[in-house]
Amino acid sequence: MAAEKQPFEAEVGRVLDLVINSLYQHRDIFLRELISNASDACDRLRYQSISDDTLLSSDPDLKIMLTPDSDAGTLTIDDNGVGMSRDELVDNLGTIARSGTARFAEALSGDDKADVNLIGQFGVGFYSVFMVADQVDVLSSKAGENIAHRWSSDGKTGFSIEKIMDDAPRGTRIVLKLRDHAKEFLDEYRLRHIVRSYSDHIAIPILFQGEAKPAEPKEGEDKTDELVVPEPQQINEASALWTRPKSDITDEQYKEFYHHVGQAFDDPWSRLHVQAEGLVSYQALLFVPSVQPMDLFDPKREHQVKLYVKRVFITDGLEGLMPRYLRFVKGVIDTEDLQLNVSRETLQHSAVLAKIKKDLVRRVLDDIARRANADGDDNDYDTFWEQFGQVIKEGIYEDHEQREKLLDLARFRSTHDDGWVSLADYVARMKEGQDAIYTISGDNLTALKSSPQLEAARAKGVEVLLLADNIDDFWLPQTDTYQEKPFKSLTRGDVDLSKIESDTEDKEDQPTETVEGEDLDKLIAALKAKLGDKVADVRASARLTDSAVCLVANEHGMDMRLERFLKQHQQLGELSKRVLEINPKHELIRGMAATDPGNEDLGELAELLFDQALIVEGEPLPDPGAFSRRMSAFLSKGLAA
Ligand code: ADP
């Protein structure tokens, strides 16, 4: 049958260009990508053979082999893993399986080191072969089918695919026709060096098949034409890294393992290698990345830890093996205490795994806490928090057992300074008479810092946490206290700061004119009458010092920002009515109190103040035209006066 030609998906062509151009200086990574794929293919076969041992039995020793051929100018990588069917060859190698090129292209920074990290995250690993080869043949035969197909491409426009053999042994052979400038990858020592530096942690043996050499001349001959092919030599350690004694593993080896298992190429921020013996025996090798993976906020929120049983890879992302709020943790868990042939459902309810999970969650959080509390210069916790804080905060409402620990780990922006503050710092700085942790939430920090609702707290020197993450709206309503101090939002209900000792007592002592008693009641009644059902209530404010008015939610209502967020996401029809608070010390309010309730201007001013309060909250005005007319009318009066 003739080979069938197919163009690459449009995206593949772009990825190829990007990969070749941006990663050229790191072209030796093609080998670790191919070895990593080959090792995954062997892992998958071993797992499938648990339920069907015929798959493995014909060729039971899993291995990867590198064979250079300098006459042909090719490097061949063989594995006897699961292999690929025709459709799998087309789908896996002709399309960008997992993420769009556009995102890859966007993420490219032009900084080579950072860009190398992106390969793999985007599933473009295989395409890196075209940096070193101008012709690539992938011959593959899927375990159980044993029909071989050849996928060929020059990496430019498309590929061809054809059936080449029935009754083929299982596995994949990749033949790279090396470009002229890439002939170094025929050299035994170059290849050994790359394998040792990038792929030593691979648990499958990697063999090197040297080229045929002239035989030693026999006695009496000075020369012979006879060639001998040397025996293949194993060039990696080939034992699962997590089973080796910790003292035998170098930082480099840990790092390369992380790159392989996490499909990431940054340096891990931390690692945790556990070799636990006891009620449940298991080994775990987990890493916290230093940069956010691209899919961290994917709605599936799947964790990234692989499960092995007795060194055999079982599955990725098993539900319940790691909590969702630790989904940035990457690595492996391996246990002796499970049967190999248990179903996924059984695994999900396994008491052994529940125990391992509990143990590991504690260890991971303790490890993060240790970094959070590190002394002085060694403390790089802020960088961790900036990458993963939003995800950790999900745990505050999802994991009640760990809530206090997670609250300890949480960092916030506050009115105290421009850095990150912990709740423990906040509590330690609380003022005499202060009995709550004050918060204010909104969409951006700059706007939050100038919120009118903050004024009285600021005047008193009371610290306020500025919550600008959407996720804050979820954990906060469900979290009553930290170190027994309740959280209190400054945009909701009554706020009474009068018992708190002020930093600026002198200023407070100065008599300020204020509207009180009957005058205040009359003004409030007039405003209520004028604004009608636009507001839930009108009352005098204890939280304002400089602004005339602000809006707040009812004590038992939802926080204002949560409502807005839900409305934006069509989870809520209408926003509930706000309470309008007025500042009795403000000149304008005093002026209004002195105006005759029958005066038309009073009504117009009430409308203007209400609209102004909406603007400060970032909420749309119900009638911007009316607002603008009123505003102009008052401005002209000001000019005329
Ligand atoms: P990634 O490995 O990140 O998924 P690649 O482009 O490297 O992306 O590979 C694409 C897919 O092709 C792999 O996910 C795998 O399904 C398949 N594949 C690649 N190499 C092999 C191999 N040697 N044996 C079997 N399948 C393979």
Side-chain angles (χ1 to χ4, degrees), residues 33-34 36-41 44 79 81-84 88 92-93 97-98 120-127 140 171-172 174 263:
E33 295 298 318
L34 294 185
S36 179
N37 284 345
S39 142
D40 287 347
R44 273 183 282 149
D79 70 70
V82 277
M84 284 177 273
E88 285 167 341
N92 293 338
L93 307 182
R98 285 183 305 163
Q121 273 193 36
F122 288 88
V124 294
F126 171 77
Y127 298 108
S140 196
T172 301
I174 300 180
Q263 296 222 323

